[in-house]
Amino acid sequence: MSLGTKVRLARLFSHPSGNLFGGAVDHFVGYGDVRKGGLADLPGALARVMVGKPDYVSIQPGTARHLWPQYAGEASLVIQAGCFTPDDRISELIATPEDAVRAGADALAVAIPVRGATEGKYIRWLTDSVNAAARYGMPVVAHIYPRDFTDGAKIVFTPDEIAYAARIGYESGVDVIKIGYTGDFESFRETVRTCPVPVVIAGGPKTDTLLGALQQTADAIRAGARGAVVGRNLWGHGDPQKAALAFRGVIHDGLSAEDALAKAGA
């Protein structure tokens, strides 16, 4: 690992807790009608996330160009290169490590789905990105989502599939792996234990309650995860600032979900 990669990774995990609280304001193509939901006002969504003081924010390269300058220095910038829908209607790699360098980013995120006939192409996205990033000392954060095609194309979080996703990540040479929490503590702990690079969890589908999302995060951290990168459970929440404070309490202060929620006043 080059010095540049080590320095940038240290920025991502700079909090004294050793964990990472990230905000995700990306994957816009998968959210349907852009006039509805938490990303309808993209500048507003980013502003709401930043109020919560995340350690890093992953956003698309165009979003970074237009919206990030006012937040520079407040958090690490991570450029999201992957752009896909689970059914492969959209399937594009839209940024390179060089793009991330030009943007002043601390990492390149590559979101991919796995399983299905197109899986090999997505694995190639990762390996090509890792090889190119090495020239710049740019860490690669893999966001990996297993799919099931039994009834259409959907993202799944079963223990076997999440373990497979983690394996794809570290055998591709990435520096950090973002995967969904399985809901099964023991299986997730084994997946993290056998993974040689830091694992953080994805916020996943918006849960019925903020308490439920916080509980999943607390369980994942107890199982060995190094934090969480949260999207819909931040900008999709009625009060993103309180939601962010609650996530920070779980991730950085080691609070229980209930205590974090109470401390945040949510």
Side-chain angles (χ1 to χ4, degrees):
M1 184 183 294
S2 72
L3 175 60
T5 303
K6 291 178 180 178
V7 168
R8 292 183 175 95
L9 280 174
R11 291 179 189 144
L12 299 184
F13 291 93
S14 61
H15 192 276
S17 69
N19 291 335
L20 179 154
F21 168 41
V25 189
D26 53 19
H27 301 324
F28 65 97
V29 298
Y31 290 135
D33 191 341
V34 298
R35 299 171 300 171
K36 298 178 181 178
L39 291 183
D41 173 8
L42 189 59
L46 180 57
R48 291 192 296 273
V49 168
M50 292 305 295
V51 168
K53 300 186 184 304
D55 302 314
Y56 92 48
V57 174
S58 62
I59 53 180
Q60 304 281 2
T63 307
R65 186 175 302 113
H66 294 300
L67 302 181
W68 190 252
Q70 65 180 303
Y71 302 111
E74 295 184 25
S76 287
L77 171 63
V78 178
I79 294 295
Q80 176 61 260
C83 186
F84 72 89
T85 54
D87 62 0
D88 290 327
R89 177 179 61 85
I90 295 174
S91 174
E92 301 293 341
L93 193 61
I94 63 172
T96 68
E98 185 178 354
D99 294 328
V101 171
R102 285 199 298 265
D106 284 322
L108 180 77
V110 182
I112 67 165
V114 292
R115 300 300 196 191
T118 56
E119 178 180 56
K121 177 183 70 173
Y122 291 114
I123 294 173
R124 173 62 69 181
W125 280 13
L126 275 186
T127 55
D128 285 352
S129 296
V130 167
N131 290 335
R135 296 196 293 270
Y136 301 99
M138 178 64 64
V140 174
V141 181
H143 299 189
I144 307 179
Y145 302 93
R147 296 178 291 183
D148 181 88
F149 294 91
T150 303
D151 181 20
K154 61 182 179 180
I155 304 299
V156 294
F157 301 93
T158 62
D160 287 350
E161 293 300 331
I162 291 301
Y164 180 72
R167 178 64 64 87
I168 290 291
Y170 72 72
E171 290 205 16
S172 297
V174 304
D175 301 286
V176 181
I177 297 171
K178 172 187 167 184
I179 48 177
Y181 181 57
T182 62
D184 181 85
F185 180 83
E186 292 300 332
S187 70
F188 192 78
R189 180 166 64 178
E190 183 64 13
T191 293
V192 175
R193 184 188 69 79
T194 57
C195 184
V197 301
V199 170
V200 299
I201 68 163
K206 190 176 185 301
T207 53
D208 292 336
T209 66
L210 179 57
L211 179 63
L214 293 169
Q215 187 61 61
Q216 287 187 356
T217 302
D219 289 346
I221 289 174
R222 285 196 303 113
R226 295 281 302 279
V229 180
V230 188
R232 278 168 284 194
N233 284 304
L234 280 184
W235 46 255
H237 191 269
D239 191 329
Q241 183 175 6
K242 289 182 178 179
L245 289 173
F247 275 106
R248 286 180 63 85
V250 168
I251 295 168
H252 287 324
D253 301 328
L255 298 179
S256 68
E258 293 81 0
D259 288 347
L261 202 60
K263 184 177 179 179

